């Protein structure tokens, strides 16, 4: 906005004198509802900021009438300043990328049951650390572990903040001040800032790298084992794949070596698929059950990837190994809160009752056939105003994301959007500026919307965002 100084009659000094004091503004009629709503401190600060802003505008040459208007509307300016200042930085977005487990977008949306469980536990007190049978102090660690023991008979479990924390805890428990043997091919960086070597070293364990990036044989592990070996670690290189001339020891071979030398084998799975991915038409990836069946002492995975639950790191394995981790004081620092347990238990219940594919959004999205996504996209496109934007429904691929099944793609249909004379980047950023923001991807200078990751309930928000693009480009 430019403040033209058409009338230079009132001198700036004179205009500045027209500015009221903070106290004067505070006592205006329109301001007291703001004080009721936001509190005196925020309102006072916003008035001060607004007066500073008006002083700067006078310096830049604002004329008398404009200053009068600004002073008349000061209540609105103050309210909008406060709203900007207190708007939470975290909020919902529409994920139209087709990437189901999108770490930047908060990974797994929770099931209705998990959300209900959170509300139930959050709105009052709970038996988080109370044994209801004895009335004595109980351990919070029993909560989700009971259900996990049902899912994985004979195994015990422990929940911590996330998978990175679980890796750190397990290595600290078994290999602090000792060595952890890992293949060079698995010293990877997964997603944002999970660098296996860094986490390993912070656990107090010393890295003993074996093999080469593309080939690590069981003999390489065997040679590295010595007095100081605390654990054998296997990390699933879940977001990339080394292809071609490769070889790696099987988990079973590692387990045999571990048994022979009495060294625990820890497997970091990441994605935590409990259901075989083949069920969704995807290439087979080992499941958590496979990992445990091969005999590893500990298997680790995330709660908010393919499990479709809250952020959590799940350690599951032999009772001795889990017990040792639980006793580690570090477990106290990495523990989860009651909301996480509530959501996780509800999520696990869906698996126990064979309702996972129905209840859990991540699995529903994974299971949706391309024909269904196409039908939804076509029906959605029908309802759009097409005067300035062009839409077409095309074949494309969705991805699991989140370091799960690296190269697995799922056939899908996308809504491709173009607008004459406007770059895809501009359309993409205009969608991101919508309320709620819509996150889309770009291919060949077109914006692509994949409804696989957009729940039906979010379609109106998506439609509004597109209508605003239309409206903006018409004016
Ligand atoms: C995603 C992933 C992690 C990190 O999981 P967080 O729960 O985000 O800490 C660790 N290891 C593997 C193999 C992963 O895929």
């Amino acid at each position: 906005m430019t403040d033209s100084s058409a009338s230079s009659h009132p001198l700036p000094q004179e205009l500045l004198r027209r500015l009221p004091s903070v106290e004067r503004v505070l006592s205006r009629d329109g301001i007291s509802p703001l004080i009721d709503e936001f509190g005196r401190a925020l309102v006072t600060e916003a008035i001060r900021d607004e007066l500073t802003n008006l002083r700067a505008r006078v310096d830049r040459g604002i004329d008398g009438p404009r200053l009068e208007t600004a002073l008349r509307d000061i209540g609105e300016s103050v309210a909008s300043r406060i709203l900007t200042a207190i708007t939470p930085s975290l909020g919902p977005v529409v994920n139209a990328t087709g990437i189901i487990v999108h770490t930047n977008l908060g990974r797994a949306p929770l099931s209705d049951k998990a959300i209900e469980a959170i509300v139930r536990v959050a709105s009052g007190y709970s038996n988080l650390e109370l044994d209801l049978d004895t009335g004595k102090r109980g351990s919070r660690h029993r909560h989700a572990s009971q259900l996990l023991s049902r899912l994985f008979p004979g195994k015990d479990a422990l929940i911590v903040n996330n998978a990175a924390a679980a890796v750190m805890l397990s290595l600290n428990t078994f290999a602090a001040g000792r060595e952890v043997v890992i293949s060079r091919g698995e010293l990877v960086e997964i997603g944002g800032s999970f660098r296996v070597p860094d986490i390993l070293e912070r656990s107090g364990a010393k890295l003993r790298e074996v093999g080469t990036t593309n080939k690590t044989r069981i003999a390489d592990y065997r040679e590295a084992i010595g007095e100081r070996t605390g654990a054998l670690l296997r990390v699933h290189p879940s977001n990339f794949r080394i292809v071609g001339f490769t070889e790696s020891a099987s988990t079973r071979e590692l387990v045999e070596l571990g048994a022979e030398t009495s060294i625990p084998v820890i497997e970091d799975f990441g994605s935590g698929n409990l259901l075989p991915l083949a069920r969704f038409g995807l290439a087979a990836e080992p499941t958590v059950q496979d990992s445990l069946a091969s005999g590893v002492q500990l298997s680790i995975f995330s709660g908010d990837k393919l499990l479709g639950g809250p952020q959590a790191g799940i350690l599951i394995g032999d009772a001795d190994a889990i017990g040792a981790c639980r006793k580690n004081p570090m477990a106290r620092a990495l523990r989860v809160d009651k909301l996480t347990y509530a959501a996780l238990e509800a999520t696990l219940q869906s698996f126990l009752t064979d309702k996972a594919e129905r209840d859990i959004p991540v699995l529903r999205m994974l299971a949706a056939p391309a024909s269904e996504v196409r039908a939804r996209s076509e029906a959605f496109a029908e309802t759009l105003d097409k005067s300035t934007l062009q839409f077409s429904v095309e074949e494309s691929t969705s991805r699991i994301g989140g370091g799960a099944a690296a190269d697995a793609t799922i056939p899908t249909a996308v809504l491709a959007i173009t607008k004459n004379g406007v770059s895809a980047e501009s359309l993409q950023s205009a969608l991101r500026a919508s309320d709620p923001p819509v996150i889309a991807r770009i291919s060949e200078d077109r914006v692509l919307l994949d409804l696989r990751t957009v729940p039906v309930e979010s379609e109106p928000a998506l439609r509004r965002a597109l209508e605003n693009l239309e409206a903006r480009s018409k004016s």
Side-chain angles (χ1 to χ4, degrees):
M1 202 188 299
T2 57
D3 296 324
S4 73
S5 48
S7 93
S8 51
H9 307 134
L11 293 167
Q13 292 91 319
E14 207 276 309
L15 287 181
L16 286 176
R17 274 196 295 274
R18 290 191 202 168
L19 289 176
S21 67
V22 173
E23 283 308 315
R24 277 274 302 284
V25 181
L26 271 170
S27 63
R28 281 208 198 172
D29 284 351
I31 297 296
S32 73
L34 295 182
I35 297 175
D36 288 344
E37 192 172 350
F38 301 114
R40 197 174 189 87
L42 273 182
V43 175
T44 307
E45 190 187 322
I47 291 172
R48 197 169 288 131
D49 290 347
E50 185 54 26
L51 290 174
T52 304
N53 171 48
L54 288 176
R55 231 168 270 127
R57 288 178 67 187
V58 168
D59 286 344
R60 290 202 306 269
I62 187 176
D63 60 22
R66 282 185 188 215
L67 182 63
E68 290 308 321
T69 310
L71 285 175
R72 191 194 62 210
D73 298 339
I74 197 164
E76 281 159 43
S77 313
V78 165
S80 98
R81 271 179 191 279
I82 295 172
L83 287 175
T84 307
I86 66 170
T87 298
S89 58
L90 180 65
V93 306
V94 176
N95 173 12
T97 64
I99 300 170
I100 297 173
V101 178
H102 199 310
T103 296
N104 300 157
L105 305 184
R107 292 199 183 154
L110 294 178
S111 69
D112 290 344
K113 286 180 180 166
I115 293 163
E116 284 158 21
I118 288 179
V119 171
R120 221 169 29 244
V121 165
S123 39
Y125 297 103
S126 63
N127 62 335
L128 181 64
E129 290 188 357
L130 181 73
D131 184 331
L132 290 174
D133 291 333
T134 62
K136 297 215 168 74
R137 183 166 183 209
S139 163
R140 71 172 63 208
H141 292 310
R142 75 191 189 282
H143 293 297
S145 13
Q146 280 178 353
L147 298 182
L148 282 161
S149 295
R150 281 202 172 274
L151 274 169
F152 304 101
K155 301 294 171 188
D156 198 359
L158 174 64
I159 314 302
V160 292
N161 182 61
N162 59 6
V167 170
M168 189 147 173
L169 175 64
S170 61
L171 292 178
N172 182 267
T173 304
F174 295 107
R178 312 181 67 187
E179 288 182 351
V180 54
V181 184
I182 181 169
S183 158
R184 286 204 169 79
E186 296 171 15
L187 288 172
V188 295
E189 173 166 335
I190 295 159
S193 65
F194 182 90
R195 288 192 158 191
V196 174
D198 296 347
I199 299 272
L200 296 198
E201 306 232 311
R202 287 289 160 160
S203 73
K206 197 168 165 339
L207 253 171
R208 181 69 194 267
E209 307 168 26
V210 297
T212 61
T213 307
N214 61 334
K215 286 208 171 201
T216 305
R217 301 180 181 86
I218 193 67
D220 297 324
Y221 286 91
R222 186 181 291 279
E223 271 165 37
I225 290 179
E227 292 273 279
R228 298 174 34 77
T229 311
L232 306 179
L233 177 68
R234 151 151 289 189
V235 177
H236 278 249
S238 41
N239 57 353
F240 77 102
R241 222 173 269 297
I242 297 167
V243 291
F245 189 57
T246 66
E247 185 172 336
S248 58
S250 71
T251 306
R252 216 169 261 287
E253 284 176 302
L254 269 187
V255 167
E256 279 165 18
L257 181 60
E260 203 181 298
T261 51
S262 303
I263 296 168
V265 178
I266 303 169
E267 186 160 41
D268 171 16
F269 244 91
S271 61
N273 44 318
L274 268 53
L275 303 179
L277 293 182
R279 218 151 135 173
F280 306 103
L282 295 165
E285 289 264 324
T287 59
V288 179
Q289 291 87 332
D290 294 335
S291 165
L292 293 169
S294 68
V296 301
Q297 274 66 47
L298 279 179
S299 189
I300 291 169
F301 57 98
S302 296
D304 53 358
K305 291 181 179 173
L306 285 177
L307 187 71
Q311 178 188 307
I314 299 171
L315 296 115
I316 180 144
D318 296 348
D320 288 353
I322 294 291
C325 291
R326 203 179 278 147
K327 279 203 217 89
N328 185 335
M330 204 183 245
R332 171 66 175 76
L334 303 174
R335 76 182 189 185
V336 298
D337 74 330
K338 59 193 176 184
L339 307 187
T340 301
Y341 282 121
L344 186 58
E345 289 203 307
T347 305
L348 293 170
Q349 248 181 10
S350 290
F351 282 92
L352 273 168
T353 55
D354 207 15
K355 302 285 186 302
E357 276 174 80
R358 192 195 71 186
D359 291 349
I360 294 178
V362 162
L363 298 178
R364 278 206 304 266
M365 292 183 221
L366 201 54
S371 57
E372 183 186 313
V373 184
R374 171 172 282 272
R376 271 184 68 202
S377 307
E378 283 169 354
F380 182 76
E382 282 293 303
T383 66
L384 296 171
D385 175 359
K386 298 177 192 65
S387 40
T388 66
L389 295 170
Q390 292 86 47
F391 300 99
S392 62
V393 176
E394 302 174 6
E395 276 178 18
S396 184
T397 49
S398 312
R399 287 199 292 126
I400 299 184
D407 42 14
T409 56
I410 310 157
T412 197
V414 292
L415 194 58
I417 309 172
T418 51
K419 178 169 155 41
N420 290 339
V422 178
S423 70
E425 281 76 16
S426 309
L427 289 177
Q428 185 189 41
S429 60
L431 286 172
R432 207 170 51 240
S434 306
D435 180 21
V438 171
I439 313 301
R441 65 192 160 99
I442 290 181
S443 169
E444 294 166 358
D445 208 31
R446 293 147 340 134
V447 168
L448 303 186
L449 303 178
D450 188 340
L451 294 194
R452 178 181 298 280
T453 48
V454 179
V456 174
E457 310 85 79
S458 297
E459 281 186 18
L462 183 57
R463 185 173 299 110
R464 256 191 332 263
L466 292 169
E467 280 165 2
N468 285 338
L469 280 190
E470 282 277 358
R472 202 168 328 167
S473 45
K474 274 184 202 162
S475 57

